[in-house]
Amino acid sequence: MSDQALLELRGVDKAFGGLSVVSGLDLRVDEGEIVSVIGPNGAGKTTVFNLISGLYRPDAGDILLDGRSVVGLPPHEITKRGIARTFQTLRLFLNMSVKENVMAVQYGRTKATVIESVLRLPRARREERETSRIAEEKLAFFGQRLMGYRWDQPAYSLSYANRRRLEIARAMATEPRILLLDEPAAGMNPVETHEMTELIGRLRDDGGHTILVIEHDMHVVEGISDRVVALDHGIKIAEGSFDAVATDARVVEAYLGLRAAGSR
């Protein structure tokens, strides 16, 4: 483990209307890691993602990517720095094609002017070809699920599981340093959940991505995690291997509302 984390939260606080949602949170993700954030509903997990991605600004503390603070930057600038995310509720352009959904995130990086694009001048055509190539490359990562004839299908025609895959492909197209996956297996059946578990592992092993994931399915967490961080009411209550965190008395209490017998 290097001294400098790829992503680091230092003493981060966030409250809404006087209600503390995240309190004194320290969290680090090193390059090449898969770190899972778990906790019961209302634990502050999605708020953490919203803070990292710039949708919210912390009340205190700092958030660093490669040692540089991203606090106060607008979300699009944070994306440019290398943080991409998916959402718990799917946010696709449903009437656009599968390929267009992935191409769309690249247009913020193009240089061609409106006139160049309208007149199809050389720079615009060159950037269009490159944008198309990147989209096809990211979609190819998902094999037959998002290949071939599916490229031209509208996103609304995809199955729920393939919509999840498409959202991940779109995040990959921003060429992120770290991927934030918010409940990627939510709403999936056991077969789809198993495939998503394998996919997350491939995103790291074959795709070279560092990943911070929120997930409720403990089978997924167990299958993918190098490290697990447990939150309860915005406070980190445990951190370590899956086995260590899953058997921690504070985590058992947070999930079940029961105190472990030994603590009574």
Side-chain angles (χ1 to χ4, degrees):
M1 184 182 289
S2 64
D3 290 336
Q4 182 171 290
L6 176 58
L7 177 70
E8 186 173 13
L9 279 65
R10 296 178 179 171
V12 170
D13 292 345
K14 184 63 182 178
F16 296 102
L19 177 65
S20 178
V21 180
V22 175
S23 180
L25 181 60
D26 295 322
L27 186 153
R28 69 177 282 153
V29 184
D30 293 298
E31 192 142 16
E33 270 195 309
I34 300 177
V35 176
S36 294
V37 179
I38 67 169
N41 290 332
K45 303 181 299 296
T46 295
T47 298
V48 171
F49 271 26
N50 288 339
L51 289 164
I52 295 169
S53 57
L55 295 180
Y56 301 153
R57 182 169 183 154
D59 298 328
D62 206 355
I63 301 171
L64 302 102
L65 179 70
D66 249 347
R68 298 172 62 198
S69 179
V70 297
V71 171
L73 296 178
H76 70 270
E77 184 61 36
I78 291 175
T79 301
K80 284 184 179 179
R81 294 278 180 96
I83 298 175
R85 71 171 293 184
T86 64
F87 290 84
Q88 186 175 348
T89 303
L90 285 166
R91 300 189 182 184
L92 297 172
F93 304 115
L94 293 177
N95 290 315
M96 291 170 59
S97 74
V98 167
K99 185 175 175 181
E100 287 169 342
N101 263 273
V102 182
M103 292 175 67
V105 302
Q106 285 286 315
Y107 289 123
R109 301 176 175 218
T110 56
K111 302 291 193 296
T113 64
V114 173
I115 297 298
E116 286 176 304
S117 298
V118 170
L119 297 178
R120 306 290 296 160
L121 296 181
R123 180 164 68 168
R125 293 200 307 272
R126 186 169 61 251
E127 290 183 341
E128 186 77 12
R129 287 194 300 270
E130 178 63 8
T131 298
S132 177
R133 183 195 66 77
I134 291 172
E136 291 176 6
E137 174 189 292
K138 301 310 178 186
L139 290 167
F141 186 86
F142 297 83
Q144 294 303 311
R145 298 293 191 181
L146 294 178
M147 282 291 286
Y149 71 94
R150 294 192 190 277
W151 287 353
D152 297 322
Q153 287 185 320
Y156 68 73
S157 70
L158 296 178
S159 68
Y160 177 79
N162 281 339
R163 291 185 190 187
R164 284 278 178 196
R165 293 183 179 97
L166 177 56
E167 191 176 36
I168 294 172
R170 189 174 63 179
M172 290 167 65
T174 66
E175 306 293 353
R177 299 290 312 281
I178 184 168
L179 273 172
L180 311 182
L181 305 180
D182 194 346
E183 296 197 31
M188 293 187 178
N189 65 41
V191 173
E192 292 167 340
T193 298
H194 178 71
E195 291 179 353
M196 182 57 70
T197 304
E198 291 185 334
L199 171 63
I200 293 170
R202 286 184 53 236
L203 284 168
R204 190 264 303 277
D205 298 338
D206 300 337
H209 293 290
T210 301
I211 299 170
L212 181 63
V213 59
I214 293 171
E215 187 51 66
H216 275 297
D217 191 311
M218 290 299 110
H219 293 295
V220 177
V221 175
E222 183 178 18
I224 63 173
S225 305
D226 296 311
R227 210 155 31 85
V228 178
V229 174
L231 302 182
D232 187 28
H233 295 95
I235 298 170
K236 182 166 68 176
I237 57 173
E239 180 175 1
S241 68
F242 173 81
D243 289 338
V245 171
T247 56
D248 188 288
R250 293 165 298 179
V251 176
V252 174
E253 180 186 350
Y255 269 99
L256 301 180
L258 301 170
R259 295 193 177 276
S263 66
R264 284 179 177 170

